[in-house]
Amino acid sequence: MKTALITGVTGQDGSYLAELLLEKGYEVVGVKRRTSSICTDRIDHIMDHRNFSLVYGSMQDTGRLHYLINEYQPEEVYNLAAQSHVKVSFDVPEETVDTVALGTLRLLEACNMSKIDLRFYQASSSEMFGDNPEHPQNEDTRLMPASPYACAKVFAHHSIRNYRKAYGLHASSGILFNHESPRRGETFVTRKITMAAARIKLGLQHELHLGNLDAKRDWGYAGDYVEAMWLMLQQDEPDDYVIATGETHTVREFLEETFKLAELDIDRYVSIKPRFFRPHEVPLLEGEPIKANQKLKWKPKVNFAELVKIMYEHDLALAENEPVSRKRK
């Protein structure tokens, strides 16, 4: 039985990946940082699985990372831990860089020094392309990061290549474009939209405040994208792969699709607020996943309209069980 260690296991991607690996017969060790609230709602359904263990760890704690690698001797390591909110990274740039950039370096060093024959997956991001006007973007597109988060991801991405070339580590990066699900954090724009539509539909909320509706993104389903992560570590040779759908939609289109399902009038309920704009906007991200299609035999299964429907219907069911007294704007 293979053992996989996942940092950031309580996040959207970590929870889907843990499910996938357990289904494949892995022993899964999930790493979470200590917080005052439990924050395990995404993985509560697998907590009692006989092959799942949840342990504490921090990307800032070098000694703990070395301990975890040597204690559990994983064949596969998936590094998904991050301060992953782009807008928030402008507010807490040092924390973002310490977690995303230096945290990745610490974990890479722990893996390399352990001398264990393991394979390493790094969660790179389409945000690394930033405001580069060239599109679609592939593995060779110039990186022009436009946020502290993206700058940190570029450092981590290049560190993977460095450890691959310098030390022969089987380390691969997945340059994942936007991927969503009902498990997406509530502060991200897609989930913010689907939750608001559901609550407005039921009279629990009266308006929705948004920022830039013209930003274009390549949106896929997180459940599809974790399969690509696993496939990368099954290859004989490590490499970097763009994981995307190959099509873009604006935030406005996501909003329209959601409000169409909810039978709501956008003009009545939605207002634009400057505070939700980024200091440095990224206008267009469009992935070209040809390499992943050909080498990994990977393609997304859920299309844009299906993704919106999955998220809205989930949040509608959630809102139906919400106390009427709770209000949110």
Side-chain angles (χ1 to χ4, degrees), residues 69-312:
I69 295 299
N70 286 287
E71 173 68 15
Y72 291 100
Q73 302 272 311
E75 283 87 359
E76 297 175 6
V77 174
Y78 295 86
N79 183 33
L80 310 183
Q83 188 302 100
S84 60
H85 198 287
V86 177
K87 176 67 166 60
V88 172
S89 77
F90 286 97
D91 300 323
V92 290
E94 185 175 344
E95 178 189 344
T96 301
V97 169
D98 193 25
T99 302
V100 176
L102 296 182
T104 300
L105 184 64
R106 294 180 188 112
L107 184 57
L108 277 169
E109 189 66 2
C111 291
N112 189 50
M113 290 183 68
S114 73
K115 305 305 179 184
I116 300 168
D117 184 17
L118 56 76
R119 298 184 175 193
F120 191 106
Y121 169 81
Q122 169 61 19
S124 289
S125 169
S126 60
E127 287 288 337
M128 300 189 305
F129 298 119
D131 56 1
N132 187 339
E134 178 185 340
H135 68 92
Q137 292 120 356
N138 59 37
E139 294 81 5
D140 299 317
T141 302
R142 182 185 175 192
L143 305 179
M144 296 175 60
S147 68
Y149 169 79
C151 290
K153 281 292 186 182
V154 170
F155 177 93
H157 182 73
H158 286 316
S159 296
I160 293 297
R161 182 179 184 275
N162 177 242
Y163 273 73
R164 190 163 63 210
K165 297 291 185 180
Y167 304 112
L169 187 68
H170 192 296
S172 296
S173 289
I175 308 172
L176 271 59
F177 280 66
N178 293 64
H179 46 291
E180 318 297 318
S181 76
R183 300 181 192 175
R184 189 54 139 158
E186 297 179 11
T187 60
F188 288 83
V189 67
T190 51
R191 187 78 194 287
K192 185 177 178 180
I193 290 170
T194 58
M195 288 186 67
R199 300 186 81 248
I200 291 170
K201 180 74 173 178
L202 298 176
L204 299 172
Q205 185 170 329
H206 303 299
E207 57 186 330
L208 169 61
H209 298 161
L210 295 173
N212 182 13
L213 298 186
D214 296 321
K216 295 181 178 180
R217 294 293 184 266
D218 185 327
W219 275 304
Y221 174 56
D224 290 340
Y225 284 37
V226 298
E227 183 180 5
M229 299 177 188
W230 175 77
L231 285 169
M232 288 179 213
L233 298 199
Q234 311 317 305
Q235 305 305 303
D236 292 335
E237 298 296 328
D239 209 340
D240 303 327
Y241 297 89
V242 160
I243 305 300
T245 68
E247 63 178 56
T248 62
H249 297 273
T250 62
V251 176
R252 187 185 305 277
E253 288 177 89
F254 195 101
L255 175 65
E256 290 171 345
E257 187 71 23
T258 306
F259 272 52
K260 181 175 69 175
L261 290 170
E263 299 179 315
L264 296 173
D265 181 2
I266 291 173
D267 293 334
R268 179 178 177 183
Y269 295 106
V270 178
S271 60
I272 305 303
K273 301 294 181 182
R275 70 177 183 271
F276 293 117
F277 283 75
R278 297 183 187 181
H280 187 172
E281 286 287 343
V282 173
L284 169 64
L285 293 174
E286 179 186 3
E288 186 176 57
I290 294 174
K291 185 175 178 181
N293 297 162
Q294 294 178 346
K295 293 187 68 175
L296 302 180
K297 309 301 181 187
W298 177 88
K299 287 186 178 180
K301 301 179 181 72
V302 177
N303 65 33
F304 177 74
E306 292 168 340
L307 172 63
V308 176
K309 189 171 187 288
I310 289 169
M311 293 178 67
Y312 171 70

